[in-house]
Amino acid sequence: MSELIFLGGAHVNVLPGDSRGFAYGDGVFETMRVHHGNVHWWTAHRARMEAGAERLGLTLPSDLLIARAQHELFGRGHDGVAKLIVTRGGGARGYARDADAHPVWRYSRHPLPPAPREGGLVLRWCATALAVQPALAGLKHCNRLEQVLARGEWDDPAIDEGLMRSTEGDVVCATSANLFVLHGDRWSTPMVDRCGVAGTCRAWLLSQTGAAESRMRPADVESADAVLLCNAVRGILPVARIGEHAYSPHPAVAELRQRLARVHPGFAAGH
């Protein structure tokens, strides 16, 4: 991993210890797939980060500064994963925020994840629930403790991911991906208006499928004809099993993966 850390527009060597992101999770982040030095969904990532920053009252670095960091870490031809974290700058101890604090931000380079399991992912249901909090719903904010707890529920290499419900029992997402289910010829995906993250790959799939955003119960998932997970780094991931419920490979999922590969070169065959 390589990283660059900035205080406002100035490069610094270490993360400031009084950063409110470190103290309170007061920030937002984006995790992005890089192909040949480019973030092909940058516009979508930037728009989501701007929406989160506006809701939290954060100042974001300029596109120019981010582009410079991107070029320094990835150049023109490298593949990988970029992670951009923007947090509120430091101030006095306590929850009150300093409106004049410069943002602290970090841009880092990571390797691509391994190829998904051949034949589809194996999922489980998580016991850890997502708290209902509309003020933070949809945002990719820096407090991911619920996901950390959920992911800590298993260490079985035969399990690829876990599905999470809200404290009200609605299905929301996987620990690090959004969820889509197919019944007949109709796609649907859980609403993220009370908790969960509005993913960039999720947004693309909504535009392609016209999927309904709905409250979803576990039975709606288990009775589906096909299930997929998606995120901006791994793309579209077919699901083969959830607990005792198995799903055969479905042509609708394969067609969506092919469509994604045509618009995002990072997901083309061999990448």
Side-chain angles (χ1 to χ4, degrees):
M1 181 191 73
S2 301
E3 66 176 12
L4 297 169
I5 301 171
F6 297 85
L7 177 59
H11 179 257
V12 295
N13 292 322
V14 296
L15 184 70
D18 63 351
S19 165
R20 289 174 59 91
F22 177 76
Y24 307 122
D26 187 2
V28 292
F29 72 100
E30 293 290 326
T31 308
M32 303 164 284
R33 191 174 183 110
V34 179
H35 178 68
H36 289 178
N38 296 311
V39 178
H40 288 270
W41 276 347
W42 169 247
T43 300
H45 284 292
R46 177 73 188 196
R48 181 173 61 177
M49 182 167 268
E50 286 177 346
E54 180 178 7
R55 206 183 305 179
L56 297 181
L58 290 171
T59 300
L60 296 181
S62 70
D63 274 5
L64 179 60
L65 289 174
I66 295 171
R68 288 174 178 169
Q70 167 73 16
H71 181 73
E72 184 168 344
L73 292 183
F74 288 90
R76 295 186 180 276
H78 293 291
D79 298 340
V81 176
K83 185 169 184 178
L84 171 60
I85 305 174
V86 181
T87 73
R88 201 181 311 277
R93 190 191 66 80
Y95 295 136
R97 60 195 190 193
D98 180 356
D100 297 324
H102 292 296
V104 174
W105 59 285
R106 174 180 178 266
Y107 204 87
S108 55
R109 173 182 168 178
H110 308 263
L112 287 170
R117 182 192 300 272
E118 194 72 28
L121 303 185
V122 177
L123 312 185
R124 72 187 297 275
W125 290 102
C126 295
T128 304
L130 292 164
V132 172
Q133 176 48 276
L136 298 176
L139 303 187
K140 203 168 178 74
H141 56 77
C142 288
N143 192 321
R144 298 287 114 193
L145 282 177
E146 293 164 327
Q147 287 82 359
V148 170
L149 290 173
R151 183 58 187 86
E153 291 180 18
W154 80 93
D155 59 7
D156 183 352
I159 303 297
D160 298 296
E161 251 287 13
L163 294 180
M164 301 185 69
R165 291 156 285 190
S166 73
T167 50
E168 296 179 347
D170 298 315
V171 181
V172 181
C173 57
T175 64
S176 60
N178 288 115
L179 169 73
F180 282 74
V181 301
L182 181 68
H183 290 89
D185 62 355
R186 184 62 172 166
W187 286 100
S188 58
T189 188
M191 299 177 73
V192 290
D193 59 332
R194 298 190 294 187
C195 55
V197 175
T200 52
C201 193
R202 176 184 184 271
W204 182 84
L205 274 171
L206 282 170
S207 74
Q208 298 298 303
T209 63
E213 298 179 81
S214 62
R215 303 279 179 237
M216 195 176 293
R217 308 300 286 188
D220 299 321
V221 180
E222 294 171 344
S223 64
D225 297 309
V227 179
L228 66 81
L229 300 183
C230 66
N231 70 26
V233 169
R234 304 192 72 193
I236 295 171
L237 303 168
V239 172
R241 180 176 293 277
I242 304 173
E244 299 302 315
H245 298 268
Y247 307 90
S248 300
H250 200 288
V253 178
E255 194 277 331
L256 285 172
R257 297 186 81 193
Q258 292 168 3
R259 202 184 306 180
L260 176 61
R262 289 194 293 269
V263 300
H264 193 310
F267 298 116
H271 295 285

